[in-house]
Amino acid sequence: MDEDQSAEETTFVVEEITTVIKEAVESTIGNSSYQHSKINQWMSSIVESSLSQLTKLGKPFKYIVTCIILQKNGAGLHTASSCFWDNSTDGSCTVRWENKTIYCIVSVFGLAI
Amino acid sequence: MADRSDLKAELERKKQRLAQIREEKKRREEERKKKESEMLQRAENVSEDSDLDRRRRETEALLQSIGISPEPPLVPTPMSPSSQSVSPPSETGSQESIDGGTVGRTLQWDTDPSALQLLADSVHGCRMQKLGASKIVQIDFMPKELVTYSKETQTPVASHQPEEEDEELSVTKSEPVPLQLEEENSQEAEEVHPRELTNEEKEQTTHSEDFLFFFDRSIRVMERVLAEDTDIFFDYSGRDMEDKEGDMQAGSNLSFNRHFYDEHWSKHRVVTSLDWSPQYPELLVASYNTNEDAPHEPDGVLMVWNMKFKKMTPEYIFHCQSSVMSVGFAQFHPNLVIGGTYSGQIALWDNRSHRRTPVQRTPLSATAHTHPVYCVNVVGTQNANNLITVSTDGKMCSWSLDMLSQPQESMELIYNKSKPVAVTCMAFPASDVNNYVVGSEEGTVYTASRHGSKAGIGEMFDGHQGPVTGISCHNAVGPVDFSHLFTTSSFDWTVKLWSTKHNKPLYSFEDNADYVYDVMWSPAHPALFATVDGNGRLDLWNLNNYTEVPSASVTVEGGCALNRVRWASGGREVAVGDSEGCVWIYDVGELAVPHTDDWSKFARTLMEIRANRGDGEEEGALELPA
C-alpha cells in the first residue's frame, strides 16, 4: 500500500468527493420540486453521474454510492452508518442537500484497492 | 483502456508479491509439499492459464520498466507464514526476488489461481490487520410537528357507565384541569344515588345551571381548604415570628412572598400583562402569550390568581385563540375581565359563565383593531364608563362594555399629520378621562386626548433611544398634586421621569444594565416606583431617598427577564411577571408606607431635579402649556 500511495494519491479525499457529489446533485435536482413521477429518474441520474465523475478521478478506489431522497412532509428521518476498513486509506463522505420540498442524502464510500 | 493498464499494473504488483511468497515457499517446499499439491490441484481446475501466461510475459516486460517495489510487509497468515520473511521489502530486494524467482515463476504461475487466492487471502490478511472501525456517520432530519384541528361532537351516550365516568365525559367537553377531575370524582363518590338514574336524567342534572354552579363553587372551596396550611400553634407574642417573617424583621424592604405558576398553563409562556382587581384586592389576573412548544393549546391564556389562599391553582382559567397581550379587570363590572389580543380582537370573559372562552369578542374588522392591542383601560365612572383600547397601528377605539360589536368611537393617533404612532403602552393620569399619555415603538412619548378641540395626539416628548416599553402616571393622591408626572421605561436601559409640562425628560434613571420592561408608580407613596428589567431585577426607586440608585432591589430567582410589574392597590405588594410564565409576589416593607411629609419632600426633590436639569444643557426644551 505504501507504494500505491506514493504512486498515486490513494487516500480518500473528502473535499474533492464532496464537490463532485454536490455538482451531480445540483445538476439533477437543483431547481426542482418533489415530483413522484420523476423521482426514479433523478435518483438514477444522481447515482450514475456521481459514479462516473468519481471513476473519472482515476483513483484506485472501489466506490459505493447511495442516494436517499425524502419528500419534505414533516416526517423525521434518521440514518447512520459505520464501516470496518482501513482508516488510513478508505473513507466515506456524505452530502446533505435540501431545498424547499426535498431532502437528499448522498453517501459515497471509497475503499482503496 | 487506461483502466485496463491500471488494472494490469495492479495485477503485476500483486504478482510481484506473489513471487516473493512463492520463493519463500519454495525454500520450505519440504514442509509445504502438501500445500503445493493442493495448489497444483487447484491450478488444474482453473481455466485461466492461457490468460495468465500472457500476463506473465507482459509482467516480465513491465517489471523491467516499473521499478516499484511490491507490497509492504505481509503479515503472517495461516496460509503463508513464510510471507513474514518477505518483510521488509525493498525495491532492490523485490527485484532480486523477482529475478530469482523468474526461474521458479513458471512454477508459481502454474499455481496462479491458487496464488491469486493466496494473494487475496494475504491481501485480506494484511489488510485485516489494519482495519479499524470508522466513525459512525449519522444523519438526522427532525420531524415537524403538525398542527391539526379536530372537532369532536358527542352524540348522546347510550352507555351504562357509572356516574363518575359520566361526569368525566361531560367535563372533558369543557377542558377541565386534572385536579378538577379528581375533585369532582371525590365529590361524586359521596353522592350515591339510591336508584340508577337514566342517562337522560344524568345528562340533565350535570348540565343544569344549579349543578354547575354548585360544582364550580365546591371545587374552589375544596382546593382552598386543601391548600391551607396555617399554623394553629401560631404564637402572637412574637417568638414564632422569626420563621415566617424573618425577612421583614430583618428590615429588608423587598421580601419574597409567593409565586404563581401552573405546570400546564404557565409553562413556556411569557407573562404579558398583570392587573389587580379593584373590588377584591387579593385577586390578580395574569395574561400569557402563546406556548410555542404546544401548538395545539390555545394561544392566549388568562389566569386569575388568589393571594388569600395558599392553593397553587388559579381561581379561573380563561382561554383565547390569539395571544393576550394586555389584560385588565373591568373597573366597574366585578365579573368581567378584558383582554387585548395579538390579533387585534378585544375579548371579554365573564367569571359567572362556566366557559373558558370569551363571552364577547370584538370583530376582526377594519372598524375595530387589526393590530396587536397592547393597551386596554376602563375609564370613567360607574354610570358612564368606556373601554379604551389602543393598537400598535395607532388606532384608538372607545367601546361600551355592553356592546363590543363595534366601537363607539375610533381615532387614528397621528402625529403632525404624517404617520400614525405605533403605540406600545398607554396610561391615564389619575382621575382624568380625557387626556392620556402613550409611548411608542420609536421611543417617543406623546400626550393625546379623546375629546375636545385637540382630539388626538398632542405633544411629543422626545428622549428615549429605544422603544418605550412601559409608561406610568403618578398615582398617589395626597396633599400635593403630582398628576402631571409620569415615568417611562424603554429598551435603551433607562427609565425617565417626565412632566407633561416639559417635552424633555426631567430626569433619567440609568442604573439598569438591560432592557427595562416596565415601570409603575406606587399607588400609595408619592415618591416610589418600581421597575423591572431583562436581568430579572426588580427595583424600587424612592426619589426622596436617592435618585441615582434604587432604594431596594432584588433579583428574581431563576434570573429570567421580567416583563411586567404591578403594584397592588394598597401599595404593599408588588406583582412581577416573568418570561417563563411565573408570577412573583413581593412584599414591600417600610419603604412602601408613605409618611405625611413625603409629599412635601417629593415636591422639594422635584424642584431640585428641575434645578439640576436647568443647569444642564437641554436643547429644544420647551415649556409646554399645562
Side-chain angles (χ1 to χ4, degrees), chain B residues 115 119 157 163 187 295 299 302 328 452 466 509 525 543 555 557 561 592 599:
Chain B
L119 165 71
V157 177
E163 280 178 309
Q187 296 269 319
D299 277 355
L302 286 189
F509 303 95
H525 196 293
L543 298 177
T555 304
E557 206 182 298
W599 270 265

Side-chain angles (χ1 to χ4, degrees), chain B residues 20 23 69-70 86 88-100:
Chain B
Q20 289 175 29
E23 238 204 308
S69 54
V86 176
S90 61
E91 284 197 21
T92 46
S94 60
Q95 292 236 322
E96 280 171 7
S97 59
I98 290 161
D99 289 338

Side-chain angles (χ1 to χ4, degrees), chain B residues 374-554:
Chain B
Y374 281 98
C375 334
V376 289
N377 220 330
V378 175
V379 294
T381 61
Q382 176 70 46
N383 297 322
N385 51 61
N386 280 315
L387 167 67
I388 310 292
T389 58
V390 190
S391 59
T392 53
D393 60 352
K395 189 146 184 209
M396 182 217 83
C397 289
S398 159
W399 311 79
S400 157
L401 282 172
D402 305 321
M403 193 185 70
L404 285 183
S405 54
Q406 63 175 43
Q408 284 192 330
E409 63 169 324
S410 68
M411 195 194 308
E412 282 275 338
L413 296 174
I414 302 180
Y415 179 65
N416 244 356
K417 300 181 183 53
S418 55
K419 60 178 168 65
V421 173
V423 174
T424 54
C425 47
M426 163 182 87
F428 277 83
S431 67
D432 193 335
V433 298
N434 193 24
N435 303 302
Y436 55 97
V437 283
V438 289
S440 75
E441 268 173 16
E442 279 106 36
T444 42
V445 184
Y446 302 90
T447 54
S449 40
R450 286 172 58 205
H451 313 293
S453 54
K454 285 195 286 181
I457 292 281
E459 305 298 332
M460 174 179 93
F461 297 81
D462 199 14
H464 275 299
Q465 267 115 25
V468 178
T469 51
I471 191 168
S472 175
C473 289
H474 194 272
N475 274 328
V477 176
V480 188
D481 175 36
F482 295 112
S483 57
H484 57 97
L485 291 178
F486 61 94
T487 46
T488 53
S489 62
S490 158
F491 275 10
D492 67 356
W493 298 14
T494 66
V495 176
K496 295 200 196 304
L497 172 68
W498 312 72
S499 164
T500 48
K501 301 176 192 156
H502 296 93
N503 72 338
K504 291 286 174 198
L506 289 180
Y507 195 82
S508 179
F509 303 95
E510 312 211 349
D511 190 58
N512 292 87
D514 200 344
Y515 297 163
V516 187
Y517 281 103
D518 202 10
V519 63
M520 185 169 177
W521 284 100
S522 160
H525 196 293
L528 189 64
F529 63 88
T531 60
V532 285
D533 72 0
N535 280 329
R537 248 177 66 182
L538 164 65
D539 296 324
L540 288 187
W541 298 76
N542 184 337
L543 298 177
N544 284 343
N545 290 352
Y546 314 105
T547 52
E548 303 288 322
V549 287
S551 303
S553 177
V554 75

Side-chain angles (χ1 to χ4, degrees), chain B residues 113-413:
Chain B
S114 59
L116 277 173
Q117 188 164 33
L118 185 66
L119 165 71
D121 292 338
S122 63
V123 164
H124 287 320
C126 107
R127 288 205 177 165
M128 282 295 276
Q129 281 270 327
K130 294 178 191 178
L131 294 186
S134 72
K135 300 197 299 283
I136 297 179
V137 175
Q138 195 162 19
I139 307 211
D140 288 321
F141 289 122
M142 301 310 295
K144 240 183 355 205
E145 189 178 329
L146 283 176
V147 179
T148 56
Y149 169 71
S150 69
K151 185 178 162 87
E152 292 172 6
T153 52
Q154 177 88 47
T155 53
V157 177
S159 62
H160 299 287
Q161 291 162 351
E163 280 178 309
E164 285 95 341
E165 292 176 43
D166 242 351
E167 295 304 296
E168 278 183 70
L169 272 174
S170 60
V171 176
T172 40
K173 284 181 211 164
S174 51
E175 302 162 13
V177 172
L179 181 60
Q180 287 187 354
L181 254 176
E182 293 164 19
E183 292 288 342
E184 109 204 59
N185 277 339
S186 60
Q187 296 269 319
E188 287 307 302
E190 297 161 22
E191 301 173 1
V192 179
H193 289 261
R195 68 168 176 90
E196 186 83 18
L197 292 175
T198 64
N199 289 316
E200 286 78 35
E201 280 178 324
K202 285 181 198 166
E203 291 284 321
Q204 221 178 355
T205 328
T206 57
H207 288 298
S208 73
E209 267 303 303
D210 283 340
F211 173 80
L212 287 172
F213 175 65
F214 154 76
F215 185 70
D216 213 23
R217 279 203 52 207
S218 320
I219 52 173
R220 263 180 242 294
V221 171
M222 289 301 291
E223 278 186 326
R224 290 175 192 167
V225 165
L226 287 171
E228 241 0 89
D229 58 354
T230 41
D231 186 10
I232 54 175
F233 299 107
F234 191 75
D235 182 0
Y236 284 95
S237 67
R239 268 165 279 150
D240 278 359
M241 292 271 265
E242 260 105 76
D243 30 314
K244 244 206 317 183
E245 291 160 62
D247 284 342
M248 293 276 263
Q249 298 228 311
S252 89
N253 283 312
L254 260 185
S255 61
F256 173 66
N257 183 335
R258 63 187 298 182
H259 74 283
F260 290 119
Y261 183 79
D262 181 78
E263 264 308 309
H264 183 211
W265 293 111
S266 299
K267 215 168 182 193
H268 297 309
R269 294 180 191 258
V270 176
V271 177
T272 50
S273 185
L274 294 168
D275 193 31
W276 292 89
S277 166
Q279 287 88 11
Y280 302 105
E282 67 268 15
L283 288 185
L284 165 72
V285 68
S287 64
Y288 303 81
N289 76 345
T290 110
N291 179 352
E292 266 142 30
D293 288 339
H296 294 270
E297 301 273 334
D299 277 355
V301 170
L302 286 189
M303 288 202 267
V304 178
W305 299 96
N306 194 331
M307 282 280 295
K308 201 148 74 161
F309 305 109
K310 302 252 181 12
K311 63 171 186 159
M312 275 301 289
T313 51
E315 283 285 325
Y316 299 100
I317 300 178
F318 297 122
H319 297 153
C320 182
Q321 281 314 109
S322 169
S323 320
V324 182
M325 308 312 293
S326 54
V327 76
F329 278 100
Q331 281 270 14
F332 307 103
H333 299 87
N335 291 310
L336 301 182
V337 180
I338 304 160
T341 66
Y342 194 76
S343 61
Q345 278 186 318
I346 317 294
L348 191 76
W349 288 269
D350 192 331
N351 68 1
R352 288 168 294 198
S353 92
H354 301 285
R355 289 166 47 186
R356 289 190 171 189
T357 46
V359 292
Q360 266 200 78
R361 254 184 298 215
T362 63
L364 267 176
S365 75
T367 51
H369 295 291
T370 49
H371 276 67
V373 176
Y374 281 98
C375 334
V376 289
N377 220 330
V378 175
V379 294
T381 61
Q382 176 70 46
N383 297 322
N385 51 61
N386 280 315
L387 167 67
I388 310 292
T389 58
V390 190
S391 59
T392 53
D393 60 352
K395 189 146 184 209
M396 182 217 83
C397 289
S398 159
W399 311 79
S400 157
L401 282 172
D402 305 321
M403 193 185 70
L404 285 183
S405 54
Q406 63 175 43
Q408 284 192 330
E409 63 169 324
S410 68
M411 195 194 308
E412 282 275 338
L413 296 174

Side-chain angles (χ1 to χ4, degrees), chain A residues 17-59:
Chain A
I17 308 282
T18 318
T19 331
V20 167
I21 301 298
K22 274 197 187 147
E23 272 176 47
V25 172
E26 288 275 328
S27 61
T28 317
I29 55 173
N31 289 324
S32 329
S33 294
Y34 180 85
Q35 275 165 282
H36 179 71
S37 51
K38 292 200 187 157
I39 270 292
N40 277 329
Q41 174 205 334
W42 286 340
M43 303 258 286
S44 352
S45 124
I46 288 175
V47 172
E48 273 177 50
S49 61
S50 316
L51 201 51
S52 59
Q53 291 291 324
L54 289 171
T55 47
K56 274 190 203 159
L57 293 177
K59 299 202 177 168

